[in-house]
Amino acid sequence: MNSPDPNEPLPVMAKSDAQAWAQKMTEYMAQAAGITLDADSITPFFSNCEGKNGEVANDGRYTLAYDVTSVLSRPQHLDAIRKIKASLEKDGFTITSYRETWQDQPNVLLYAKHDEGRYFIDVSSGAASDRLTLSVATRCLMPPSASSAGQH
């Protein structure tokens, strides 16, 4: 696949829409795995987009990292990660890293990317043995312009 054109316009999306979309993605993965997400664990983190040399534009462009956890026993992580992996592959994601055990214990990790949307998925066993963390990270997005944002 060719590298993206650095001059291509950024997708425009309000932060609330980006967060709603990321929530839908984590719910999609949870449904595929047959697990329940802990709504109290939802952590959206917005940050400024940075250029190659750490430069930040003043136009509001941002990225979103969205995390949510599910509480299930460590052995259940294996079944969940296998179902999520199969579902992502079926839907055209590229799995970039995958493991089911670490030091002979269930400890899952899955990294996937979606080339067309250019976003990333991360599913992993948390530091607490009963937590499975599902994460979505967006590419750099542009908020709607201030002039159009006030016309609701």
Side-chain angles (χ1 to χ4, degrees), residues 24-54:
K24 283 186 182 13
M25 283 302 303
T26 56
E27 288 169 352
Y28 150 83
M29 289 187 285
Q31 185 175 18
I35 60 177
T36 302
L37 298 176
D38 176 5
D40 292 336
S41 73
I42 294 172
T43 310
F45 181 76
F46 293 94
S47 58
N48 293 325
C49 297
E50 284 192 26
K52 258 194 287 198
N53 300 311

Side-chain angles (χ1 to χ4, degrees), residues 2 14 21 45 49 52-53 70 72 75 79 89 101 108 120 123 136 139 151:
N2 294 333
W21 170 82
F45 181 76
C49 297
K52 258 194 287 198
N53 300 311
S70 179
L72 61 159
D79 184 53
E89 287 174 328
T101 59
V108 301
F120 301 91
V123 181
V136 178
R139 65 182 285 191
Q151 297 176 1

Side-chain angles (χ1 to χ4, degrees), residues 62 68 88 92-93 101 104 139:
Y62 68 93
V68 63
L88 291 173
F93 285 78
T101 59
D104 298 324
R139 65 182 285 191

Side-chain angles (χ1 to χ4, degrees), residues 60-139:
R61 59 185 73 184
Y62 68 93
T63 61
L64 167 62
Y66 181 95
D67 299 341
V68 63
T69 62
S70 179
V71 178
L72 61 159
S73 72
R74 190 66 80 154
Q76 290 174 300
H77 290 197
L78 294 174
D79 184 53
I81 199 81
R82 289 171 183 158
K83 289 176 179 174
I84 292 170
K85 180 178 184 273
S87 187
L88 291 173
E89 287 174 328
K90 179 177 69 76
D91 289 336
F93 285 78
T94 301
I95 305 302
T96 58
S97 188
Y98 181 79
R99 85 162 181 241
E100 293 184 350
T101 59
W102 186 67
Q103 295 182 344
D104 298 324
Q105 295 296 315
N107 187 302
V108 301
L109 174 73
L110 174 130
Y111 293 145
K113 66 179 182 171
H114 190 270
D115 289 330
E116 186 179 329
R118 286 193 238 142
Y119 57 91
F120 301 91
I121 300 290
D122 173 350
V123 181
S124 60
S125 295
S129 63
D130 62 345
R131 299 232 172 231
L132 184 67
T133 303
L134 287 69
S135 304
V136 178
T138 68
R139 65 182 285 191

